[in-house]
Amino acid sequence: MPEYIIAFNDEWVAEHTMEQLIHKRDTSMAVTKEMKDAGVFVYGNGGIDASTALCSVELGDDGEPVFTDGPYVETKEHLGGFFVVDVPDDETARYWAGRMAVALDWPQEIHRFPGRPRLEA
């Protein structure tokens, strides 16, 4: 089955009180439990924004990785959270994204991962 990522950007989310965030955590965790019960949940996480960036890494001249405190891609949008689901088709991915959009009351975006490359023996 294909895998899909259902994600939202941090900038799509207005400021919330702690009480509102706790409510959204609870409603999204209920949908996550349904995903797990349905056997489609692969992985998810949230609460990430520009402040959670750890470092940047690139290939150095000596062939070794070089870790730095940036530079980071300059963008106004940062991934806020995501779920990876393993479902049979686009419609099922849309169903779960719709459930999460309702639970959180903020937009979700769906991407289908390309198929896994087949390695020849």
Side-chain angles (χ1 to χ4, degrees):
M1 287 196 294
E3 291 180 345
Y4 296 79
I5 186 168
I6 300 168
F8 66 89
N9 285 326
D10 185 56
E11 284 68 31
W12 300 347
V13 180
E15 289 296 318
H16 284 72
T17 66
M18 186 55 67
E19 183 178 285
Q20 290 171 314
L21 289 172
I22 290 169
H23 173 73
K24 290 181 186 293
R25 177 203 62 200
D26 294 345
T27 58
S28 66
M29 292 305 292
V31 175
T32 302
K33 182 181 181 321
E34 289 180 42
M35 288 179 185
K36 289 177 179 178
D37 292 346
V40 302
F41 181 85
V42 176
Y43 181 77
N45 212 323
I48 51 181
D49 61 22
S51 71
T52 61
L54 181 62
C55 67
S56 182
V57 60
E58 60 185 270
L59 179 63
D61 293 337
D62 61 358
E64 295 296 318
V66 176
F67 298 89
T68 59
D69 216 9
Y72 302 111
V73 174
E74 291 189 30
T75 180
K76 293 181 180 179
E77 293 187 351
H78 299 276
L79 183 65
F82 66 93
F83 296 88
V84 176
V85 294
D86 191 4
V87 295
D89 53 43
D90 294 358
E91 283 306 308
T92 308
R94 291 169 60 100
Y95 168 79
W96 289 111
R99 294 293 312 279
M100 198 54 70
V102 169
L104 291 170
D105 189 25
W106 56 62
Q108 302 293 306
E109 191 172 271
I110 308 168
H111 294 265
R112 182 182 335 102
F113 287 105
R116 294 182 181 107
R118 299 181 80 188
L119 301 175
E120 294 189 37

